[in-house]
Amino acid sequence: MNKKKTIPAATVNRLPMYLRYLKELAQKGDTVISSYDLAELAGGNGPQLRKDLSYLGELGTRGVGYDVESLIHQISEFMGLNKEQSVAIIGAGKLGTALFGYEGFAEKGFKICAIFDTDLQKVDQKINGLFISDIKDLERIVGEKKIEICIITTPASEAQKVADKAVSSGINAILNFAPVSLKMPDRVVVRQIDLSIELQILSFYKAL
Amino acid sequence: MNKKKTIPAATVNRLPMYLRYLKELAQKGDTVISSYDLAELAGGNGPQLRKDLSYLGELGTRGVGYDVESLIHQISEFMGLNKEQSVAIIGAGKLGTALFGYEGFAEKGFKICAIFDTDLQKVDQKINGLFISDIKDLERIVGEKKIEICIITTPASEAQKVADKAVSSGINAILNFAPVSLKMPDRVVVRQIDLSIELQILSFYKAL
């Protein structure tokens, strides 16, 4: 069994946070950080951070801390972030086109290299230098551009259908903004962001 | 102590999911649902659902199930969702303007009634029938429009500053899209969506 499969989800969720702060430290010119300080930056604690990083192997030096650059490299490699990854957006509505222009993706090595819609009025329109593609061409373009991740920004009613099409085209990782739970084969990983649910949760807590 | 404060976060996160499926059932004309079936729809299990709903009081009838309409009402009331809530967006870039046009918010009772920016070239431009406001007017407009929730879509470098300003203007709930952890007083509730981190997590799992 792949050892990575046994890593707790909470650890996987925290690793990108450590990476974010390590990159900020590197930009400031810091070369070494203690587990205590890095944990504090990321809003956790030292023992948790050391446990999280232990899944990556023997890192850091007791009493000295972690070398910032090499820890960036190790986490990036562990997460599969050491090479550019091709991403498609399905749904060229307001949210889809906004995400297409979101600079944070490119900075982290995710290149949006196709955007799809079913609406023939949108297809072949150009946004940010890229033509909107017909969803009918999904499989061909996913193959040509070696796309492995897609972001779904369609209405809820369309999401399952386009997700099925994406998976049969070879995509195995989906970030789903449509407010519906996708039913997918086990090998497909789905992360869901439901914007309205985030506000509903805030609504609950703000009244306490 | 407010009893609601003792409710597990996982329960609070699941309640809006139940609500979503209950509303779909109501639209289809279903009037009653068993805990088993509702749990299945929401991707959980019966005992967990009954435990979650037990925090709301005595609901449902053993052997019969839950009345769909009254459960919608009870969860909505419990979450503070029975009245329209005013929301501001801070940061009129691509993501901010896209969220401003996102119809899912209004459907769930969240009215975006102001959008702010620091860029004077944007201020007083009109998008979707609303003028972009100068961040300098935040406190006045938050007071006038009784805004309690804000969505931050500024660059990371600006987010802490505008969050501080929002909180001193009376806002106590923040949905933060800026890729930075906000340091806020305990009474302020923050939910963070980091889009790049979502892709990084997908990157890890898709390679397993």
Side-chain angles (χ1 to χ4, degrees):
Chain A
M1 185 173 176
N2 188 327
K3 240 178 67 185
K4 284 189 177 178
K5 285 195 182 170
T6 63
I7 295 172
T11 294
V12 177
N13 293 351
R14 282 189 292 264
L15 288 172
M17 291 288 289
Y18 301 146
L19 197 54
R20 182 211 278 171
Y21 289 104
L22 286 163
K23 286 184 176 175
E24 286 181 17
L25 292 166
Q27 275 193 333
K28 285 197 300 176
D30 291 359
T31 56
V32 175
I33 181 129
S34 71
S35 57
Y36 178 86
D37 289 343
L38 180 56
E40 172 123 295
L41 281 173
N45 59 61
Q48 183 185 67
L49 177 127
R50 285 192 295 276
K51 174 82 182 154
D52 286 341
L53 294 182
S54 72
Y55 292 103
L56 281 69
E58 291 277 337
L59 304 179
T61 310
R62 185 174 291 270
V64 177
Y66 298 101
D67 179 84
V68 170
E69 283 297 344
S70 70
L71 191 52
I72 288 174
H73 178 78
Q74 282 156 316
I75 296 178
S76 298
E77 187 148 290
F78 188 77
M79 302 279 299
L81 301 171
N82 273 350
K83 57 176 178 57
E84 188 178 79
Q85 300 189 61
S86 299
V87 178
I89 293 174
I90 306 181
K94 280 183 188 140
L95 186 60
T97 51
L99 293 177
F100 180 57
Y102 181 60
E103 286 144 14
F105 290 146
E107 283 165 16
K108 297 291 192 312
F110 296 98
K111 185 179 176 195
I112 311 290
C113 55
I115 178 163
F116 295 91
D117 209 286
T118 52
D119 181 352
L120 293 179
Q121 300 232 299
K122 287 183 182 166
V123 168
D124 288 340
Q125 280 188 30
K126 204 170 185 176
I127 48 169
N128 292 348
L130 195 72
F131 290 103
I132 297 173
S133 300
D134 190 333
I135 187 85
K136 291 203 179 89
D137 296 324
L138 186 69
E139 186 165 355
R140 177 178 60 79
I141 294 173
V142 161
E144 281 173 8
K145 301 200 175 180
K146 299 190 175 25
I147 294 167
E148 290 186 298
I149 299 175
C150 83
I151 302 176
I152 294 179
T153 55
T154 64
S157 56
E158 301 298 309
Q160 182 67 49
K161 203 165 53 186
V162 303
D164 290 340
K165 201 168 160 60
V167 168
S168 71
S169 301
I171 280 171
N172 55 15
I174 296 174
L175 180 56
N176 177 33
F177 282 88
V180 61
S181 300
L182 298 175
K183 293 192 196 329
M184 292 279 115
D186 282 347
R187 68 182 166 83
V188 178
V189 50
V190 179
R191 302 274 302 174
Q192 167 110 25
I193 298 182
D194 188 315
L195 299 168
S196 299
I197 283 185
E198 293 297 325
L199 290 188
Q200 290 175 317
I201 295 169
L202 283 176
S203 166
F204 174 81
Y205 284 110
K206 80 175 168 49
L208 293 187
Chain B
M1 185 172 173
N2 188 327
K3 240 177 68 186
K4 283 188 177 178
K5 286 195 183 170
T6 64
I7 295 172
T11 294
V12 176
N13 292 351
R14 282 190 292 263
L15 288 173
M17 291 288 290
Y18 301 146
L19 198 54
R20 181 212 277 171
Y21 289 104
L22 286 163
K23 286 185 175 174
E24 285 182 17
L25 292 167
Q27 275 193 334
K28 283 197 300 176
D30 292 358
T31 55
V32 175
I33 181 131
S34 71
S35 56
Y36 178 86
D37 289 343
L38 180 55
E40 172 122 295
L41 281 174
N45 59 61
Q48 182 185 68
L49 176 127
R50 286 192 295 276
K51 176 82 182 152
D52 285 342
L53 294 182
S54 72
Y55 292 102
L56 281 69
E58 291 277 338
L59 305 179
T61 310
R62 183 174 292 270
V64 177
Y66 298 100
D67 180 84
V68 170
E69 282 298 343
S70 70
L71 191 53
I72 289 174
H73 178 79
Q74 282 156 316
I75 296 178
S76 298
E77 187 147 292
F78 188 77
M79 303 278 299
L81 302 171
N82 273 351
K83 58 175 178 56
E84 188 177 79
Q85 300 189 62
S86 298
V87 177
I89 292 174
I90 306 181
K94 279 185 189 137
L95 186 60
T97 52
L99 293 177
F100 180 58
Y102 180 60
E103 285 144 15
F105 290 147
E107 284 165 16
K108 297 290 192 312
F110 296 97
K111 186 181 176 194
I112 312 290
C113 56
I115 178 162
F116 295 90
D117 208 286
T118 52
D119 180 352
L120 293 179
Q121 300 230 301
K122 286 183 182 166
V123 167
D124 289 339
Q125 280 189 30
K126 204 171 186 177
I127 49 168
N128 292 349
L130 196 71
F131 289 103
I132 297 173
S133 299
D134 190 334
I135 187 84
K136 290 203 180 89
D137 297 324
L138 186 69
E139 185 165 357
R140 178 178 60 77
I141 293 173
V142 162
E144 282 174 9
K145 301 201 175 180
K146 300 190 175 24
I147 295 167
E148 289 186 299
I149 299 175
C150 84
I151 301 176
I152 294 180
T153 54
T154 64
S157 56
E158 300 297 309
Q160 183 67 49
K161 203 165 53 185
V162 303
D164 290 340
K165 202 168 158 60
V167 168
S168 71
S169 301
I171 281 172
N172 56 15
I174 295 174
L175 180 56
N176 178 33
F177 282 88
V180 62
S181 300
L182 300 174
K183 292 190 197 329
M184 291 280 115
D186 283 347
R187 66 182 168 83
V188 178
V189 50
V190 179
R191 302 274 303 175
Q192 167 109 26
I193 297 181
D194 188 314
L195 298 168
S196 300
I197 284 185
E198 294 297 325
L199 290 188
Q200 290 174 316
I201 294 169
L202 283 176
S203 166
F204 175 81
Y205 284 111
K206 81 174 169 49
L208 294 187

